[in-house]
Amino acid sequence: MYKPHGELDGIGGGPAAVAAVPAFGLASADRFQPRRDWRSRIEHHFHRLDLVHDLAEDIGTAHWYRGFGTMIALGVAALAFWPDFSAVEAATTVHAGASVRDEYRSQAIAPLGLGGDTGRRMGPSAKVVPLASVPERASLQLVATLGEGDNFARMLQRAGVGTYDAGVASDMVAAVMPIGDVKPGTRFDVTLGQRSAPGEPRQLDKLVFRARFDLDLAVERQGGGLTINRHPVAVDATPLRIRGTVGASLFRSARAAGAPMKAIEQYLQTVAAHLSLDGDMAPTDQFDMIVSYKRAAGGGNEVGDLSYAGLERDGKPIAQLVRWKDGQFVDAASMSQPQVFSTGMVQPVNGHMTSPYGMRRHPILGYVRMHAGIDFGAAWGSPIFAVSDGVVTFAGRHGGHGNYVKLDHGGGLGTGYGHMSRIAVVPGAHVQAGQVIGYVGSSGLSTGPHLHYEAYQNGRTVNPLSISFASFRTASVDKGELDAVKGKIAALKKVAPGAALQKLMPKYAPEKGATGAKSKAPIAESD
């Protein structure tokens, strides 16, 4: 069984020697290897079978099919043990009776709209007697709003006022002021009283609203009938004065100083009609604008039109323009002197040129044709100004121009303004340089908001850049009117900046002939 190492080395080569070595090895391995149990033998058997074969190798062989069968068997086993979705009971259900549910609900938090309550619910007993009717509140206070195109009486009826009381209140208000002058959006404080009989509408006890900016009206029930009382509201008409430095942008500086948008637009238009905003205005100049302004003691304000436009440099006035007759601005320093109102090519809108005069491919029609004007890109609704004095010869719809205005400036010269969103003049009207004649839009053949500006010479279109306008004004005023203009300028300049923002007291102003601060004189009654 065992041979020394030396004896093995002395064995000669050949088949017998070669066969003896493995025979000796197998005999030794089988003799000294421990005997396997049945689990090991099964594991060894399946290991030799190679059930898990790499399906990417030896495709089509017996080993490959054996591995493929293993994959199918495992998939079937996984599907066989797939869990179901039956409900799992977490806890034993306890039956709750009606009393238990009521107890839970009384302690729960729930919205009132869903029946939430507090405290312990008590079940009905023989002592509980159902009510035949529920008592109502003695009065109701509510707010109603007049809508656009609404009727005064219908608005009151929707608020719960009876037809008779609504008609009486409407007639009383109409006796004080036109009922149509009540602005949409006006709020009405309505107080309804008790019903005269079950099923009847509640009586109108009180109706208070702001009829005008300076007047409150109150319809009240007194002595069984309705009475209307006037409450004049104290109104301060101190003009609003705003001053500041022009800086890099006059518009931004004025907005930062608190000037209203409308006042800034009017100021720029007025000053631009008398001065050049680019050449005659420096960043260190001081702008001065005064706007008509009203504010009521009870709240609310009304911003009016620009009354004064001034510009100062080093404390000396460059322009002092005051609104005078027909809403035009005049300068007392130059009223009696002939002056050039505007010279050079005047831009009719605050914008930038987007398309010049000449041949171009039409953006809508798609072919090349003559562009007989200049296009200025501007925001929708921007004001369009007349470049010089003239007469409106056409104002209306004009083919591809859309809303169109044409002006005759005399001497064979004319200008046209197209694609407006709204026209502000009528045919035959006389306009002055700088006057608003319409607003930027996109009517007609247009791809967006802009102004199409044309110039005519003897009826034919020419390049607007080749024409310069010069309007001369010679004001013929007497000394009395000149003094009146100077006096108005002096009176406006006495207003201190911010004076129109002081607190007002009291709310109600005394009527003419009254001595008290509050007037409640009934002017109409109805039973």
mmCIF file of all heavy atoms in Angstrom, residues 250-251 263-273 275 277 281 289 306 309 350 385:
data_model
loop_
_atom_site.group_PDB
_atom_site.id
_atom_site.type_symbol
_atom_site.label_atom_id
_atom_site.label_comp_id
_atom_site.label_asym_id
_atom_site.label_seq_id
_atom_site.Cartn_x
_atom_site.Cartn_y
_atom_site.Cartn_z
ATOM 1 N N LEU A 250 -35.945 111.740 -16.458
ATOM 2 C CA LEU A 250 -36.988 112.571 -15.864
ATOM 3 C C LEU A 250 -38.173 111.727 -15.436
ATOM 4 O O LEU A 250 -38.773 111.957 -14.373
ATOM 5 C CB LEU A 250 -37.422 113.633 -16.879
ATOM 6 C CG LEU A 250 -38.604 114.525 -16.452
ATOM 7 C CD1 LEU A 250 -38.294 115.272 -15.169
ATOM 8 C CD2 LEU A 250 -38.968 115.501 -17.567
ATOM 9 N N PHE A 251 -38.515 110.735 -16.234
ATOM 10 C CA PHE A 251 -39.664 109.886 -15.904
ATOM 11 C C PHE A 251 -39.422 109.149 -14.589
ATOM 12 O O PHE A 251 -40.274 109.144 -13.694
ATOM 13 C CB PHE A 251 -39.918 108.905 -17.041
ATOM 14 C CG PHE A 251 -41.057 107.950 -16.786
ATOM 15 C CD1 PHE A 251 -42.357 108.321 -17.041
ATOM 16 C CD2 PHE A 251 -40.808 106.681 -16.279
ATOM 17 C CE1 PHE A 251 -43.406 107.439 -16.798
ATOM 18 C CE2 PHE A 251 -41.842 105.799 -16.038
ATOM 19 C CZ PHE A 251 -43.139 106.189 -16.301
ATOM 20 N N ALA A 263 -49.902 112.594 -14.730
ATOM 21 C CA ALA A 263 -49.262 113.904 -14.618
ATOM 22 C C ALA A 263 -47.903 113.917 -15.309
ATOM 23 O O ALA A 263 -47.530 114.906 -15.955
ATOM 24 C CB ALA A 263 -49.126 114.281 -13.147
ATOM 25 N N ILE A 264 -47.145 112.815 -15.194
ATOM 26 C CA ILE A 264 -45.827 112.762 -15.844
ATOM 27 C C ILE A 264 -45.984 112.805 -17.364
ATOM 28 O O ILE A 264 -45.233 113.496 -18.064
ATOM 29 C CB ILE A 264 -45.085 111.499 -15.398
ATOM 30 C CG1 ILE A 264 -44.855 111.513 -13.885
ATOM 31 C CG2 ILE A 264 -43.752 111.377 -16.119
ATOM 32 C CD1 ILE A 264 -44.212 110.259 -13.346
ATOM 33 N N GLU A 265 -46.947 112.050 -17.894
ATOM 34 C CA GLU A 265 -47.160 112.057 -19.344
ATOM 35 C C GLU A 265 -47.533 113.448 -19.835
ATOM 36 O O GLU A 265 -47.001 113.923 -20.848
ATOM 37 C CB GLU A 265 -48.257 111.055 -19.697
ATOM 38 C CG GLU A 265 -47.868 109.607 -19.449
ATOM 39 C CD GLU A 265 -49.003 108.657 -19.750
ATOM 40 O OE1 GLU A 265 -50.102 109.152 -20.115
ATOM 41 O OE2 GLU A 265 -48.819 107.426 -19.627
ATOM 42 N N GLN A 266 -48.434 114.132 -19.123
ATOM 43 C CA GLN A 266 -48.828 115.479 -19.527
ATOM 44 C C GLN A 266 -47.657 116.447 -19.401
ATOM 45 O O GLN A 266 -47.495 117.350 -20.230
ATOM 46 C CB GLN A 266 -50.012 115.946 -18.693
ATOM 47 C CG GLN A 266 -51.285 115.169 -18.953
ATOM 48 C CD GLN A 266 -52.452 115.666 -18.115
ATOM 49 O OE1 GLN A 266 -52.289 116.470 -17.192
ATOM 50 N NE2 GLN A 266 -53.642 115.165 -18.411
ATOM 51 N N TYR A 267 -46.836 116.280 -18.372
ATOM 52 C CA TYR A 267 -45.675 117.163 -18.207
ATOM 53 C C TYR A 267 -44.689 117.001 -19.362
ATOM 54 O O TYR A 267 -44.199 117.986 -19.930
ATOM 55 C CB TYR A 267 -44.997 116.858 -16.866
ATOM 56 C CG TYR A 267 -43.781 117.716 -16.582
ATOM 57 C CD1 TYR A 267 -43.908 118.935 -15.937
ATOM 58 C CD2 TYR A 267 -42.510 117.295 -16.957
ATOM 59 C CE1 TYR A 267 -42.800 119.724 -15.666
ATOM 60 C CE2 TYR A 267 -41.392 118.074 -16.702
ATOM 61 C CZ TYR A 267 -41.543 119.282 -16.054
ATOM 62 O OH TYR A 267 -40.433 120.061 -15.803
ATOM 63 N N LEU A 268 -44.387 115.753 -19.715
ATOM 64 C CA LEU A 268 -43.452 115.513 -20.813
ATOM 65 C C LEU A 268 -43.996 116.060 -22.130
ATOM 66 O O LEU A 268 -43.251 116.651 -22.920
ATOM 67 C CB LEU A 268 -43.173 114.013 -20.937
ATOM 68 C CG LEU A 268 -42.389 113.372 -19.786
ATOM 69 C CD1 LEU A 268 -42.323 111.865 -19.962
ATOM 70 C CD2 LEU A 268 -40.982 113.958 -19.713
ATOM 71 N N GLN A 269 -45.284 115.873 -22.383
ATOM 72 C CA GLN A 269 -45.876 116.402 -23.612
ATOM 73 C C GLN A 269 -45.827 117.925 -23.642
ATOM 74 O O GLN A 269 -45.516 118.532 -24.676
ATOM 75 C CB GLN A 269 -47.312 115.914 -23.740
ATOM 76 C CG GLN A 269 -47.453 114.410 -23.884
ATOM 77 C CD GLN A 269 -48.885 113.961 -23.779
ATOM 78 O OE1 GLN A 269 -49.813 114.766 -23.779
ATOM 79 N NE2 GLN A 269 -49.092 112.652 -23.657
ATOM 80 N N THR A 270 -46.121 118.547 -22.514
ATOM 81 C CA THR A 270 -46.152 120.011 -22.466
ATOM 82 C C THR A 270 -44.762 120.598 -22.640
ATOM 83 O O THR A 270 -44.551 121.520 -23.439
ATOM 84 C CB THR A 270 -46.757 120.468 -21.128
ATOM 85 O OG1 THR A 270 -48.070 119.917 -20.992
ATOM 86 C CG2 THR A 270 -46.839 121.978 -21.066
ATOM 87 N N VAL A 271 -43.791 120.063 -21.909
ATOM 88 C CA VAL A 271 -42.437 120.598 -21.998
ATOM 89 C C VAL A 271 -41.827 120.307 -23.365
ATOM 90 O O VAL A 271 -41.126 121.144 -23.949
ATOM 91 C CB VAL A 271 -41.568 120.012 -20.868
ATOM 92 C CG1 VAL A 271 -40.114 120.443 -21.015
ATOM 93 C CG2 VAL A 271 -42.100 120.451 -19.510
ATOM 94 N N ALA A 272 -42.108 119.111 -23.921
ATOM 95 C CA ALA A 272 -41.555 118.758 -25.229
ATOM 96 C C ALA A 272 -42.096 119.648 -26.331
ATOM 97 O O ALA A 272 -41.445 119.823 -27.366
ATOM 98 C CB ALA A 272 -41.853 117.294 -25.541
ATOM 99 N N ALA A 273 -43.286 120.228 -26.145
ATOM 100 C CA ALA A 273 -43.852 121.114 -27.151
ATOM 101 C C ALA A 273 -43.199 122.489 -27.143
ATOM 102 O O ALA A 273 -43.370 123.255 -28.100
ATOM 103 C CB ALA A 273 -45.358 121.261 -26.936
ATOM 104 N N LEU A 275 -39.808 122.920 -25.462
ATOM 105 C CA LEU A 275 -38.370 122.759 -25.342
ATOM 106 C C LEU A 275 -37.963 121.412 -25.925
ATOM 107 O O LEU A 275 -38.797 120.540 -26.128
ATOM 108 C CB LEU A 275 -37.932 122.827 -23.865
ATOM 109 C CG LEU A 275 -38.233 124.110 -23.085
ATOM 110 C CD1 LEU A 275 -37.883 123.904 -21.619
ATOM 111 C CD2 LEU A 275 -37.458 125.296 -23.649
ATOM 112 N N LEU A 277 -36.331 118.018 -25.197
ATOM 113 C CA LEU A 277 -36.013 117.209 -24.021
ATOM 114 C C LEU A 277 -34.571 116.731 -24.028
ATOM 115 O O LEU A 277 -34.022 116.395 -22.970
ATOM 116 C CB LEU A 277 -36.967 116.010 -23.946
ATOM 117 C CG LEU A 277 -38.454 116.340 -23.754
ATOM 118 C CD1 LEU A 277 -39.269 115.059 -23.716
ATOM 119 C CD2 LEU A 277 -38.667 117.143 -22.481
ATOM 120 N N MET A 281 -32.572 120.293 -21.766
ATOM 121 C CA MET A 281 -32.772 119.809 -20.398
ATOM 122 C C MET A 281 -31.509 119.096 -19.928
ATOM 123 O O MET A 281 -30.997 118.210 -20.608
ATOM 124 C CB MET A 281 -33.968 118.870 -20.330
ATOM 125 C CG MET A 281 -34.343 118.440 -18.919
ATOM 126 S SD MET A 281 -35.830 117.402 -18.896
ATOM 127 C CE MET A 281 -37.070 118.570 -19.447
ATOM 128 N N MET A 289 -43.878 120.351 -11.130
ATOM 129 C CA MET A 289 -45.199 120.105 -11.693
ATOM 130 C C MET A 289 -46.255 120.259 -10.610
ATOM 131 O O MET A 289 -46.052 119.859 -9.457
ATOM 132 C CB MET A 289 -45.272 118.713 -12.330
ATOM 133 C CG MET A 289 -45.078 117.550 -11.401
ATOM 134 S SD MET A 289 -45.217 115.935 -12.239
ATOM 135 C CE MET A 289 -43.733 115.958 -13.243
ATOM 136 N N LEU A 306 -52.763 118.230 -15.286
ATOM 137 C CA LEU A 306 -51.607 119.063 -14.973
ATOM 138 C C LEU A 306 -51.993 120.533 -15.103
ATOM 139 O O LEU A 306 -52.586 120.947 -16.107
ATOM 140 C CB LEU A 306 -50.459 118.728 -15.921
ATOM 141 C CG LEU A 306 -49.140 119.467 -15.715
ATOM 142 C CD1 LEU A 306 -48.463 118.981 -14.439
ATOM 143 C CD2 LEU A 306 -48.213 119.264 -16.914
ATOM 144 N N ALA A 309 -46.375 123.407 -15.400
ATOM 145 C CA ALA A 309 -45.164 122.659 -15.739
ATOM 146 C C ALA A 309 -44.004 123.640 -15.764
ATOM 147 O O ALA A 309 -43.982 124.571 -16.590
ATOM 148 C CB ALA A 309 -45.308 121.963 -17.087
ATOM 149 N N ASN A 350 -43.352 108.632 -28.781
ATOM 150 C CA ASN A 350 -42.187 108.278 -27.979
ATOM 151 C C ASN A 350 -41.846 106.809 -28.241
ATOM 152 O O ASN A 350 -42.389 105.907 -27.619
ATOM 153 C CB ASN A 350 -42.480 108.514 -26.496
ATOM 154 C CG ASN A 350 -41.256 108.271 -25.637
ATOM 155 O OD1 ASN A 350 -40.131 108.235 -26.140
ATOM 156 N ND2 ASN A 350 -41.465 108.118 -24.341
ATOM 157 N N PHE A 385 -48.674 112.403 -31.273
ATOM 158 C CA PHE A 385 -48.756 113.850 -31.293
ATOM 159 C C PHE A 385 -48.700 114.375 -32.730
ATOM 160 O O PHE A 385 -48.049 113.793 -33.603
ATOM 161 C CB PHE A 385 -47.610 114.475 -30.489
ATOM 162 C CG PHE A 385 -47.422 113.857 -29.134
ATOM 163 C CD1 PHE A 385 -46.342 113.018 -28.881
ATOM 164 C CD2 PHE A 385 -48.318 114.099 -28.120
ATOM 165 C CE1 PHE A 385 -46.164 112.447 -27.639
ATOM 166 C CE2 PHE A 385 -48.151 113.530 -26.870
ATOM 167 C CZ PHE A 385 -47.074 112.704 -26.632
#
